[in-house]
Amino acid sequence: MGVALAWVLLMVGLSLAVIAGLNRGYQQRSLTSTAALGWTQRLFNGVYFGTFTSQPWDFSATALAHPPPPPSANGHNGHNGHNGHNGHGSHGSHGSYEAVWGGPPDPTISPSGPTALQVRPAVRPVIRSAVRPRPQPSFIDPGETELKVKIEKHSPGFHLQVHFRTGGEALGLLGASGSGKSMTLRCIAGLETPSQGRIVLNGRVLFDAQQQINLPSRDRKVGLVFQNYALFPHLTVAQNIAFGMTALPATDRVAAVVQYLEQMGLSGLGDRYPHQLSGGQQQRVALARALAIQPDILLLDEPLSALDTYLRSQIEKLLIEVIAHYPGVTLFITHKLEEAYRICRDLLVLSKGRILAAGPKEDIFERPGSFAVAQVTECKNFSRARLVSGTGSYNGQHSEQNSQHNEQYVEALDWDCQLEVD
């Protein structure tokens, strides 16, 4: 009886802590710290970073704008070099990170001081952690990067039937709303179950209806970025990124989070909550969270659609850079052909649950294979036509030269002209 009562009290306490965290995340007006919110922050830091302190590091913009004094010339952090390894001197700073000063402040960080921290490629940000950020190893063998999809999905009023394969180059899924793009991604991610078919990623079977294999989403190693960000409102930026880092020891996650913050241009924002960020910053957090789990496949479901024109351009440049260095399979969903053309090498054109065209983007745009594909690529010049077999006539005029070469022509009925066919 006593054990059951203690268990109930523990669950009630955890529930209250989660509710306090949710209220903290959704809080829009006052950011005044309270004891309950402080303990909630400690709880989440304990879960994600292995320490129950409220600030195990300092991701704040103020800390980046006012870091500890730079290290001495001999590499020690003590002011006078007293036993100076890693700040063991009486005036030493925490850690052995270097910083470079100068230049205008970064507008995305908004530091309180007049200058901002500039980070060079070989320079590490100032954090309160004994763990030095290190490059993440390549977790995918480029020779095994391949996705094979052959599935059908029946739903009321819609039938998805797709069959394709892709490798390490980004594949764009282009089509109008309701064409089956998002449903295809959801089936690959494990959020939807196909009616039949098979999905294989890097030689690993994710789904096979005949063999009754259907790996849960958590076991598929899929990084999914939604168009509405889908960040956890009760977690900070750093906690959101660390959410899926189950493969890393909790004490090593701080260093990994610092790397992703720096890569995404979010240095100094790790202690903020999603509602304190702009739309572009939230999308960068969502992308960092998707990459942080070291996925075998990256699924981008219209990640630019919720952004204004300026932010869309900035995030698009970031996506191009990230995809260029990402070693796994990438699927990019969009209904904007210019985005698909700039970001992806190959395209898959969908309409009403079927694949209309697949191949290099240049072939699809320059030589669409059907009227429907030409419409998707936003071609504007259409005309009914009929074949003029080998006569080479134009407006009743017969060309002997054309007749000798037996060239083929089509008559554009709506344009009142004839066009030579290669």
Side-chain angles (χ1 to χ4, degrees):
M1 184 67 180
V3 175
L5 179 60
W7 180 256
V8 170
L9 292 176
L10 177 61
M11 291 299 100
V12 170
L14 289 175
S15 299
L16 291 175
V18 171
I19 291 172
L22 288 170
N23 289 336
R24 177 70 170 90
Y26 281 116
Q27 192 174 7
Q28 297 290 336
R29 296 180 180 178
S30 175
L31 297 178
T32 304
S33 298
T34 64
L37 295 179
W39 280 108
T40 302
Q41 183 77 329
R42 291 170 186 265
L43 173 63
F44 287 127
N45 285 336
V47 171
Y48 297 113
F49 299 109
T51 174
F52 287 92
T53 57
S54 60
Q55 295 292 344
W57 65 92
D58 206 336
F59 280 131
S60 65
T62 303
L64 290 179
H66 303 283
S72 58
N74 59 4
H76 306 312
N77 282 351
H79 274 286
N80 297 318
H82 300 301
N83 302 322
H85 297 282
N86 293 330
H88 289 175
S90 60
H91 300 287
S93 61
H94 300 282
S96 58
Y97 298 96
E98 299 177 353
V100 180
W101 288 89
D106 187 336
T108 63
I109 298 178
S110 302
S112 57
T115 58
L117 187 68
Q118 291 183 335
V119 181
R120 292 198 302 250
V123 177
R124 301 297 185 189
V126 178
I127 62 172
R128 297 173 185 170
S129 171
V131 182
R132 181 182 294 274
R134 57 188 180 276
Q136 296 293 331
S138 178
F139 46 90
I140 300 174
D141 183 356
E144 297 181 357
T145 303
E146 185 180 43
L147 172 68
K148 301 177 183 178
V149 177
K150 185 178 182 180
I151 56 172
E152 292 188 35
K153 170 70 175 177
H154 299 275
S155 59
F158 189 78
H159 179 204
L160 176 70
Q161 184 176 9
V162 293
H163 180 198
F164 66 92
R165 69 168 58 188
T166 183
E169 296 292 339
L171 175 65
L173 275 64
L174 182 63
S177 298
S179 60
K181 306 185 302 297
S182 293
M183 183 175 288
T184 300
L185 253 65
R186 292 176 66 85
C187 288
I188 296 172
L191 304 179
E192 297 274 358
T193 301
S195 304
Q196 57 184 336
R198 180 179 170 90
I199 302 174
V200 181
L201 176 62
N202 299 342
R204 188 165 59 108
V205 178
L206 306 184
F207 174 81
D208 192 313
Q210 187 173 3
Q211 300 183 20
Q212 297 184 343
I213 298 175
N214 187 17
L215 292 184
S217 182
R218 65 179 179 274
D219 296 332
R220 297 194 178 195
K221 295 195 70 176
V222 171
L224 183 56
V225 179
F226 299 92
Q227 56 182 311
N228 59 349
Y229 321 135
L231 299 177
F232 300 114
H234 60 294
L235 301 182
T236 63
V237 169
Q239 292 166 352
N240 264 281
I241 296 174
F243 179 80
M245 291 183 175
T246 56
L248 279 179
T251 53
D252 291 346
R253 294 174 190 171
V254 172
V257 168
V258 170
Q259 272 199 323
Y260 286 110
L261 288 173
E262 184 179 346
Q263 179 184 2
M264 298 296 165
L266 296 169
S267 298
L269 303 180
D271 291 327
R272 296 191 184 182
Y273 285 86
H275 75 266
Q276 298 174 300
L277 304 178
S278 67
Q281 291 168 338
Q282 291 185 52
Q283 192 61 290
R284 280 181 274 168
V285 175
L287 182 58
R289 183 180 63 182
L291 292 170
I293 66 171
Q294 296 190 346
D296 289 342
I297 183 171
L298 186 61
L299 306 178
L300 307 172
D301 190 359
E302 300 200 43
L304 308 178
S305 62
L307 305 175
D308 60 38
T309 303
Y310 175 76
L311 287 178
R312 186 183 299 118
S313 175
Q314 298 303 309
I315 300 300
E316 182 181 305
K317 293 177 182 177
L318 176 63
L319 280 176
I320 293 173
E321 181 179 355
V322 168
I323 291 173
H325 295 88
Y326 173 66
V329 176
T330 302
L331 298 186
F332 177 80
I333 279 186
T334 183
H335 62 273
K336 294 181 178 294
L337 63 95
E338 63 273 13
E339 290 177 0
Y341 198 91
R342 288 192 293 263
I343 294 176
C344 305
R345 189 193 72 172
D346 300 320
L347 295 180
L348 206 66
V349 180
L350 282 83
S351 178
K352 299 179 181 179
R354 303 292 191 275
I355 296 177
L356 299 182
K361 58 187 178 184
E362 294 84 3
D363 293 345
I364 292 176
F365 276 81
E366 295 175 8
R367 292 176 291 276
S370 66
F371 176 69
V373 175
Q375 284 184 310
V376 172
T377 60
E378 295 188 4
C379 181
K380 304 300 183 183
N381 300 321
F382 296 106
S383 174
R384 295 170 298 144
R386 68 180 179 88
L387 181 64
V388 181
S389 53
T391 63
S393 61
Y394 178 71
N395 289 338
Q397 302 293 326
H398 178 74
S399 171
E400 294 183 359
Q401 180 180 3
N402 291 339
S403 179
Q404 291 175 358
H405 292 286
N406 196 27
E407 294 177 341
Q408 297 293 318
Y409 288 80
V410 293
E411 182 180 359
L413 302 178
D414 297 327
W415 300 339
D416 192 24
C417 67
Q418 289 188 352
L419 303 174
E420 183 179 344
V421 180
D422 292 334

